Amino acid sequence: MNTSPARRPELLATGAATVTVVLWASAFVSIRSAGAEYSPGALALGRLLVGAVVLGLICLVRREGLPPRAAWPGIAISGLLWFGFYSVVLNWGEQQVDAGTAALVVNIGPILIALLGARLLGDPMPPRLLAGMAVSFAGAVTVGLSMSGEGGSSVLGVVLCLLAAVGYAGGVVAQKPALGHASPLQVTTYGCLVGAVVCLPFSGQLIDDAADASLSATLNLVYLGVFSLALAFTTWAYALARTTASRMGATTYAVPALVVLMSWLALGEVPGLLTLAGGALCLAGVAVSRSRARSARVVAAAAPQPEQTRESA
């Protein structure tokens, strides 16, 4: 009705976030599949190189140019932590645990985003956030215990996925201020380039693995670069520029459920009951950390709603 002009940016941001969530969920499945023939570093570098080519071509067509100097610290940090470190560690972790378990553990990232946002961006940190952290940590421990029957390598996989969550959270918080100075496409493109440079030591492995890999594994690598990186990270940055980091982190809560469904359909993998219970604890902790007291909700409902604070961070 009368919401169309005013709510159009919000609806576009929601649509962009939805695209990101679906493509990131599919990425967990593709990483698991391609990881059988590509080593973690080679898969990360190959994905980043494909994404950099696609994003670079789009930048040339759109004549985006170089980001302003003020955006580079955030771009460099997000490129190092998220595009580089996160990619390698997650690929390694998914060689130890199934795709659904990896997504469940990585999904404590929103809590870490809220913590870093409170520390670095001045966001409030209510007691519910601390309670949520405790619940999610218990969930991560439960997932680790549920996977320990196969030996230490599975526990290693959970630890690697936890490290991936740290890299993801740090990258998001670093990326948010950069979006105040540069376009989502610029931030994504040059963050991808930074990540590719960080992963260049894996060039030899990539060449060797690509020579021996099957066509399906290489197509999975290309898919990861084109869709779950170039497209999904750009739609993420577009939405992040129009809301807060912690709120965007909340949109990834649906990823584990989608990953479990996709991995069941594509790979025949379904986490065990104890693993699912640990994942549910992870999600419950995130939900607790994002909840607000009733009085706060009443105040928020009564207050006038300002335009999104994308300019402020």
Side-chain angles (χ1 to χ4, degrees):
M1 303 197 322
N2 53 353
T3 59
S4 47
R7 295 202 54 194
R8 189 162 178 252
E10 180 183 345
L11 292 174
L12 287 173
T14 301
T18 301
V19 170
T20 298
V21 166
V22 173
L23 291 177
W24 280 357
S26 70
F28 281 91
V29 179
S30 289
I31 289 170
R32 178 72 170 165
S33 180
E37 300 180 49
Y38 281 92
S39 61
L43 181 57
L45 177 59
R47 176 188 186 185
L48 288 163
L49 290 175
V50 171
V53 169
V54 173
L55 290 166
L57 289 174
I58 296 173
C59 278
L60 285 175
V61 171
R62 293 178 55 88
R63 304 186 184 207
E64 287 280 333
L66 289 170
R69 184 179 300 176
W72 273 105
I75 290 173
I77 295 172
S78 67
L80 172 64
L81 291 180
W82 197 4
F83 290 85
F85 175 78
Y86 168 87
S87 296
V88 175
V89 174
L90 178 62
N91 293 347
W92 188 7
E94 283 208 59
Q95 290 186 347
Q96 314 295 322
V97 298
D98 61 79
T101 301
L104 289 168
V105 177
V106 170
N107 209 46
I108 69 165
I111 290 180
L112 302 178
I113 291 171
L115 270 177
L116 290 172
R119 178 70 176 171
L120 302 176
L121 304 178
D123 294 339
M125 192 172 68
R128 286 169 182 260
L129 176 59
L130 298 176
M133 283 182 58
V135 174
S136 284
F137 180 75
V141 171
T142 302
V143 171
L145 291 175
S146 73
M147 298 297 296
S148 62
E150 301 277 318
S153 61
S154 294
V155 176
L156 171 64
V158 173
V159 172
L160 290 168
C161 291
L162 286 171
L163 290 174
V166 173
Y168 153 55
V172 170
V173 173
Q175 191 183 65
K176 175 61 178 174
L179 289 165
H181 304 285
S183 71
L185 182 57
Q186 287 175 318
V187 171
T188 304
T189 301
Y190 289 94
C192 181
L193 284 171
V194 170
V197 170
V198 169
C199 292
L200 281 178
F202 300 109
S203 298
Q205 291 181 14
L206 176 60
I207 294 170
D208 292 341
D209 291 350
D212 298 330
S214 65
L215 178 61
S216 63
T218 301
L219 288 177
N220 267 303
L221 183 152
V222 173
Y223 172 85
L224 287 166
V226 175
F227 293 98
S228 65
L229 194 156
L231 177 56
F233 275 73
T234 301
T235 52
W236 166 275
Y238 175 88
L240 179 61
R242 288 155 178 81
T243 186
T244 64
S246 59
R247 187 171 179 184
M248 272 305 292
T251 64
T252 63
Y253 299 164
V255 167
L258 290 173
V259 171
V260 169
L261 176 62
M262 290 178 182
S263 62
W264 172 56
L265 294 174
L267 305 174
E269 294 180 345
V270 179
L273 289 178
L274 187 57
T275 302
L276 290 173
L281 277 176
C282 288
L283 297 178
V286 173
V288 169
S289 71
R290 292 290 296 153
S291 66
R292 291 185 296 171
R294 177 172 182 156
S295 59
R297 290 197 296 269
V298 170
V299 170
Q305 298 299 313
E307 191 61 35
Q308 296 289 354
T309 59
R310 59 177 177 269
E311 314 294 315
S312 62

